[in-house]
Amino acid sequence: MDIASRGSLRTRIEGLVILLVSLGYLWETFNIPDFYQLPDTPGPKTFPELLGIVFAAMGLWLLVSPRDLMARLRARSAPAAGTAPAAPAAADDHAAPTGGLFARLGLDWHFVALWAVVLGYLWFMPDVGFPVATFVLLVLFTMLLGEMRWHVVLGLSLAVTAVVFFGFKYGLNVRLPWGVLEPLVN
Amino acid sequence: MTRSVVLLLAGMALAGPMAAVPASAWEPKGQGECIAPANPGGGWDITCRTISSVLQKTGAFKGSIYVTNMPGGSGAVAIANVATKRKGDTNLIVSASNALTFTVALGRTPYTFKEVMPLAQIGAELGGFFVPADSKYKTLADLIAAMKADPKSVTFSGGSAPGGQDHMKVALFAKSIGVEPTKAVYVPFQGGGEALTSMLGGHTQVAALDISEAAGQLEAGKIRGLAVLADARSSKFPDIPTATEQGAKVTYVIWRGYYMAPGVPKEAYDWWLETLKTAVKSPEFAAERDKLGWEPITRFGDEFATYVNNEAAEYRVLLKELGFLK
Amino acid sequence: MFEHLLNGFAVALLPLNLLIALAGCLVGTLIGVLPGLGPTATLAMLIPLVFSMPPATALILLTSVYYGSMYGGSTTSILVNIPGESASVITTIDGHKMAMQGRAGPALAIAAIGSFIAGTFSVLMLTFVGAPIARYALLFGPAEFFALMVFGLCTVASLTGTNVTKSIISTCLGLMIATVGIDLVSGAARFTFGNPFLQDGVDFVVVAIGMFALTEVVITAREVHAGTRAQIVKAGRVWISWSEFVYSLPAILRGTVFGFVIGMLPGAGATLSTFIAYNLEKRVCKNPERLGTGDIRGVANPESANNAASGASLVPLLTLGLPGGGATAVMLGALMMLDITPGPLMFEKHGAIVWTLIASMYVGNTLLLLLNWPLVNVFARVMRIPAKYLMPTVLVISTIGVWSLSYSAVDLVLTGAAGLLGYYMRVHKYPVEPLILGLILGGRLEQAYRQALIISKGSNMIFFEKPIALVLLICAVLFLFLPTLLKKSQQFRAVQESASAG
């Protein structure tokens, strides 16, 4: 698969996703309740409907816009992409893919691990509690960033967790949850 | 937060009876909060800021009470937030008025006064119609004539959503002079402040406001009150005639009060009740009340809760009558 | 009037008040630096102190904290590419690039200088010509506001992106996110799926932390892992040079004027003014291609606009008693606590306090500049912390910023989603700024549109009959298509030249 067709394929997929999102959005406008409205003036549905239609049109355009146009656009932006110091993900995107599907999508274990750690933190923090979740996050994330010395990782994570937790909770009155540590403090 | 508060409450519920502490010994700890469900400058905002300042000046509240503005949906955003996210928050009061009753009566929120804890009414206020000082409407009679000739020729602005309390002033007025209420043109703004600005700028012609919202501009002579919608004139601006005097039988008195989040323990609720009862008798509050042009009408606790629940039922009937509710 | 102002200064310059102002600026800056904790949160925390003080001192504390936290917001934009508040989104574009090039010091310094010039300008205007110019705010009704916001969106959509299609998609997405929650006009719940946590809508901080903080942290981690992270150039000079100042002065002045003019309209606010000022700057300045690559003017301009706008929003409040948004909410609260009902008679009835407030605004601006001389040095050192230690901490503090909004787990999940979307958009060159502006303006845009149509009884002609609205809309359309037209004409010329050469 050469670079050009990849870019084009991605544009088509983006178009499809945008179209689907806009259809879902438009579908949801049916669930907006009707309240009294001065006759002939836009109600709560008008604006979302308008937005949904414009968004759908944009998706449709990406999906079916003529191929030669895409090629021209690519030709114009290709030199720019070549000279810029490419970020790894961006580089993956433009380089010819090697390996399996995983790599072709620009994914590798590091990328997946990063997002898993970040999203996991956001998901579990309210229940697990701030101190434990934050400590785990800091340990994992620091290691993903290449710091492998255990004493540094643990020491730093503990220190940052403690300073941030107590600083925000008692200094700035942010209600941070103790979570699983609750039984210990009460 | 919910977890720690729940634990805290559980702890208090246990410790309360065991330690045999009298209910009146309950004292709020830390900062208090008053949520004003509108932007600054409107009636709800003023209601919050007044009590915050009185309670702190009289020393009734030891910490401070800060005001949070939470506009949206004529109180719907705030009541949803308080009923779901702030359960059992002993330091929180939320300002309210008839406007919230309309939001409830119209079903614009799944929550009603039964899902929160109505606390007290600390005053009442008169609504009215206001125009720029140089408006072509000199008296209410001019406005009535214009409305009768063509209801759509007059544009009203107000600080509540359609079907809310400022719109209701317009609708009741239209009904009283024999004009189809749904034909009156009403432009909703986020709070009385914005409605007033729009009227001063000439984008709308008449502002349907509460007197406190118009007080600053009235004193400066920038705007004129066409009428107050009450049986008697305002104690602060006695120059403005009532609508009844000018041939339109409309009365619309606005109560101003507070509700608390659901699940607040009785000691805390009673503390607020007693504190407010004392506060409204204080000279500090009297000074504020005079400044705002409020009338001294109060209701507390159960009496207040019954009153607002009945009011919601009455408004539902009224809204159907006027054609705003199917 | 001079006598009143001098009396105000006499109070504001008392040693105790000066000390309070200095402390306020410092605390404000330090808290404002934390992402998600902006001026409003900072002031709410300080209100307990205010009651134990004489009124004048209390006002001085509040103004200085306010100025400090407004300035603090730009610091994170520059250092770690995370805007602390919506008004410093634009500052990230050039500010962070400057920091990566080892010029964090000059970027922070010009932000301080720009803020000082703009802040002082708006106070001067307030002092001398406040009442007459405040009348201009009244010219803007719903139709005019709608046109202004459309103009703002179009200038942004037409400039920031690699192509207009992507910008429009991004803008649309922002406006769509803005429709989530209870409709401000009718009270109807929209796109909440029955979830009460979505009724308040999606906060700017949620999206901004997702799209800027998470994305930045992950991208940095990828770069560190792949070994492609650009070496941060060793910091050169910490303060700016005279020539840099002269170079950015026109941008500061233009930013100040645009910021003031737009900020004075109630509710339009500082954010819109930064977006418009930056994009207009790009059209009128010399060497516009440098903007966006780490040009110092790209920091000077929006930072001036933002400060001029927050100062300007006080003009209608203090002179005409018209409350707006942003800074006015804070000041309104402070004044009401001190028994001052805002209204046209404020100067007559409470002259002494109002003039002290104005004097304290001059003092606050000046102190902030003096304070930043040493602070810039401290903040610029943040760039020396290795990314592997800095980035995880930034992630944690950003999460707290989201959490502190309403302690809602839904907000955290949305932040994660915004992070993934932001990452995709950044990697595939979809501009994020139009989305952010769409999100911020969406609610007001729709509201103004519907108000205008109620006033006109449903006729869209209202936007063409009002001269201000018409001019703004024409400009908006021009801005949207101008880049394409210019490009076309350049291509045409190039073809002609090659034809004549051949």
Side-chain angles (χ1 to χ4, degrees), chain C residues 66-140:
Chain C
Y66 183 74
Y67 277 124
S69 52
M70 283 298 285
Y71 173 73
S74 64
T75 307
T76 42
S77 294
I78 292 168
L79 296 181
V80 282
N81 203 10
I82 301 169
E85 15 109 20
S86 56
S88 38
V89 168
I90 286 291
T91 312
T92 59
I93 299 175
D94 285 277
H96 186 58
K97 291 204 180 74
M98 284 184 73
M100 293 301 286
Q101 294 160 6
R103 294 194 292 147
L108 291 168
I110 201 72
I113 294 171
S115 300
F116 168 75
I117 294 177
T120 308
F121 172 82
S122 34
V123 191
L124 278 171
M125 296 295 275
L126 170 61
T127 314
F128 295 103
V129 285
I133 56 168
R135 305 226 150 268
Y136 136 90
L138 290 175
L139 293 176
F140 274 69

Side-chain angles (χ1 to χ4, degrees), chain A residues 10 14 25 28 35 40 42 44 47 55 58 89 93 108 110-111 115 121 138 141 145 147 149 156 164 175, chain C residues 168 173 179 183 188 190-191 217 221-222 224-225 388-389 400 403 407 419 423-424 428 430 446 450 458:
Chain A
R10 204 191 63 229
E14 278 171 6
Y25 183 84
E28 185 59 27
F35 288 134
D40 305 324
F47 197 68
F55 202 55
M58 283 306 178
D93 211 60
D108 59 57
H110 183 253
F111 180 84
W115 276 112
Y121 177 62
L138 287 172
F141 213 87
L145 278 161
E147 177 60 71
R149 289 169 291 171
L156 197 74
V164 169
R175 287 174 278 179
Chain C
I168 294 177
L173 212 52
T179 57
D183 168 31
R190 303 189 295 189
F191 309 105
V217 167
R222 296 289 288 161
V224 169
H225 180 69
K388 58 185 175 183
Y389 306 134
I400 297 178
W403 180 246
Y407 305 102
Y423 185 85
Y424 186 87
H428 296 298
Y430 277 86
E446 180 186 4
R450 284 160 69 181

Side-chain angles (χ1 to χ4, degrees), chain C residues 56-344:
Chain C
T57 313
L59 272 180
I60 287 169
L61 178 69
L62 290 173
T63 40
S64 56
V65 166
Y66 183 74
Y67 277 124
S69 52
M70 283 298 285
Y71 173 73
S74 64
T75 307
T76 42
S77 294
I78 292 168
L79 296 181
V80 282
N81 203 10
I82 301 169
E85 15 109 20
S86 56
S88 38
V89 168
I90 286 291
T91 312
T92 59
I93 299 175
D94 285 277
H96 186 58
K97 291 204 180 74
M98 284 184 73
M100 293 301 286
Q101 294 160 6
R103 294 194 292 147
L108 291 168
I110 201 72
I113 294 171
S115 300
F116 168 75
I117 294 177
T120 308
F121 172 82
S122 34
V123 191
L124 278 171
M125 296 295 275
L126 170 61
T127 314
F128 295 103
V129 285
I133 56 168
R135 305 226 150 268
Y136 136 90
L138 290 175
L139 293 176
F140 274 69
E144 287 83 359
F145 267 119
F146 173 74
L148 178 71
M149 286 184 276
V150 169
F151 174 68
L153 286 174
C154 285
T155 56
V156 174
S158 69
L159 256 174
T160 48
T162 45
N163 71 51
V164 176
T165 316
K166 286 186 170 180
S167 295
I168 294 177
I169 289 172
S170 183
T171 310
C172 255
L173 212 52
L175 292 172
M176 281 160 69
I177 298 173
T179 57
V180 174
I182 290 178
D183 168 31
L184 294 174
V185 179
S186 73
R190 303 189 295 189
F191 309 105
T192 59
F193 308 100
N195 188 333
F197 289 93
L198 284 174
Q199 287 199 333
D200 317 11
V202 181
D203 198 281
F204 156 78
V205 174
V206 170
V207 176
I209 295 286
M211 295 212 151
F212 287 93
L214 295 198
T215 305
E216 183 67 24
V217 167
V218 171
I219 284 183
T220 309
R222 296 289 288 161
E223 288 175 359
V224 169
H225 180 69
T228 50
R229 174 131 175 106
Q231 199 62 43
I232 298 167
V233 184
K234 262 252 152 57
R237 64 168 69 238
V238 168
W239 201 250
I240 58 166
S241 65
W242 178 250
S243 63
E244 277 174 315
F245 175 69
V246 172
Y247 177 66
S248 42
L249 191 61
I252 290 179
L253 295 181
R254 282 191 284 259
T256 302
V257 171
F258 282 126
F260 188 82
V261 168
I262 296 166
M264 201 156 62
L265 307 169
T271 311
L272 182 60
S273 77
T274 58
F275 278 85
I276 292 183
Y278 182 82
N279 285 307
L280 288 181
E281 180 69 21
K282 230 177 168 174
R283 295 184 192 276
V284 297
C285 71
K286 282 183 200 152
N287 308 322
E289 73 285 352
R290 285 195 203 159
L291 278 175
T293 61
D295 191 299
I296 195 162
R297 294 172 303 177
V299 177
N301 180 269
E303 280 305 306
S304 317
N306 147 8
N307 264 58
S310 21
S313 64
L314 287 175
V315 176
L317 174 74
L318 292 179
T319 56
L320 300 184
L322 305 175
T328 56
V330 171
M331 284 301 154
L332 192 69
L335 290 170
M336 303 270 272
M337 278 190 295
L338 302 168
D339 276 340
I340 301 171
T341 317

